[in-house]
Amino acid sequence: MSDVGGAQVVTEAMPDLRSVAVGFWVGSGAVDEGDHQLGASHFLEHLLFKAPTPAARPNIAHAVESVGGDMNAFTTQEYTAFYVRMPDEHLGLALDILADVVWHPAFRDDEVESERRVILEEIGMRDDAPDDVVHELANAALFPGHPLGRSVLGTRDSIAAMPRDVIAEYHHTHYVPSNVVVAAAGNLTHDEVVDRVGRRAPFLRSRPPGALARRAPDAGRGHRPTPRHRAGPPRALAALGRRATTRTAGPSAS
């Protein structure tokens, strides 16, 4: 593992392969959002692949797919990931694209509005899927009043009202090199990944230690969620869950 401008670079050489997989893992997700940012992590994930700067490649999807690669991204409660898989001779292209995506977005107004509509449609689809809704209710019951109990998608109201500047501010605060892990595996060397990331990382931006400390969920049994009744197929779904120990708990925790 190497520190490159604050970003942690980890690799695994697999010389028998003829491909590479590269991911930029950002240590922020829905749990890090303020009350005025609900859904910002997921909103940002949508925008970053769509809105590179003019200096970046004008069509990221074409640049990846034209060499036989594929790319994707996803948002969770605690992190957001962007990844590309390509033939090994295009490792540099994969790293350059992900660096542009993660660190050099444009946030064009028309693209913000386009993705806003897409996310509102996703929320509607989620609300029509009982197997998704039941897990949202379970999380809200397990972690009442805490970000872990909120939806990664945000709410209709928060997404409809979220201005471009709030999304850009969230990116500026969280998408700093010191909050990013670059992971790569395949037919590559550690040094070539470190060198390429070093050319692209915005070195002057770092996050002060503890600046974005997360609040631990309150102890207790949670609360009884409010049932949701919707017309639809005659079926019911249930979810059963319990709180587990934290990652930092000692061996005596139960």
Side-chain angles (χ1 to χ4, degrees):
M1 183 170 68
S2 298
D3 185 308
V4 182
Q8 300 302 305
V9 177
V10 293
T11 66
E12 181 166 346
M14 306 172 73
D16 293 335
L17 301 182
R18 299 259 59 89
S19 62
V20 292
V22 182
F24 278 43
W25 301 74
V26 183
S28 295
V31 73
D32 299 294
E33 297 163 357
D35 291 340
H36 67 298
Q37 300 170 323
L38 300 185
S41 301
H42 179 248
F43 206 147
L44 188 54
E45 176 218 312
H46 273 244
L47 284 170
L48 292 187
F49 268 135
K50 188 167 184 172
T53 61
R57 291 156 184 79
N59 189 327
I60 293 176
H62 175 74
V64 173
E65 293 169 4
S66 65
V67 297
D70 73 290
M71 64 180 185
N72 213 329
F74 59 90
T75 305
T76 73
Q77 294 284 358
E78 297 186 284
Y79 60 87
T80 308
F82 305 82
Y83 63 90
V84 173
R85 294 176 290 195
M86 283 187 174
D88 55 4
E89 65 264 31
H90 299 293
L91 171 64
L93 176 65
L95 289 165
D96 286 351
I97 285 175
L98 287 174
D100 283 336
V101 162
V102 170
W103 286 321
H104 305 290
F107 300 121
R108 298 185 182 92
D109 289 336
D110 60 330
E111 292 171 341
V112 171
E113 295 309 313
S114 174
E115 292 308 305
R116 190 191 311 277
R117 292 190 292 271
V118 170
I119 295 168
L120 289 172
E121 290 178 5
E122 287 186 11
I123 292 174
M125 294 170 61
R126 186 275 316 276
D127 290 344
D128 288 336
D131 48 339
D132 288 337
V133 172
V134 73
H135 286 97
E136 298 281 352
L137 292 173
N139 287 338
L142 283 170
F143 302 104
H146 187 272
L148 282 174
R150 302 190 302 219
S151 171
V152 169
L153 296 178
T155 67
R156 287 183 179 276
D157 289 344
S158 69
I159 296 302
M162 190 176 299
R164 172 197 177 280
D165 290 348
V166 166
I167 303 170
E169 173 195 13
Y170 185 86
H171 176 271
H172 182 79
T173 301
H174 293 269
Y175 278 60
V176 294
S178 58
N179 198 34
V180 174
V181 172
V182 178
N187 188 23
L188 51 78
T189 67
H190 183 77
D191 289 345
E192 64 184 322
V193 176
V194 167
D195 178 67
R196 199 80 179 205
V197 173
R199 302 182 207 173
R200 310 289 298 190
F203 287 93
L204 299 181
R205 292 180 55 213
S206 61
R207 188 177 70 175
L212 298 174
R214 291 170 173 167
R215 176 168 63 89
D218 298 329
R221 293 178 175 270
H223 74 285
R224 184 182 299 276
T226 302
R228 299 188 195 178
H229 301 285
R230 296 177 65 91
R235 61 171 176 157
L237 294 169
L240 178 65
R242 68 179 296 272
R243 293 186 185 180
T245 56
T246 67
R247 290 179 299 176
T248 56
S252 62
S254 60

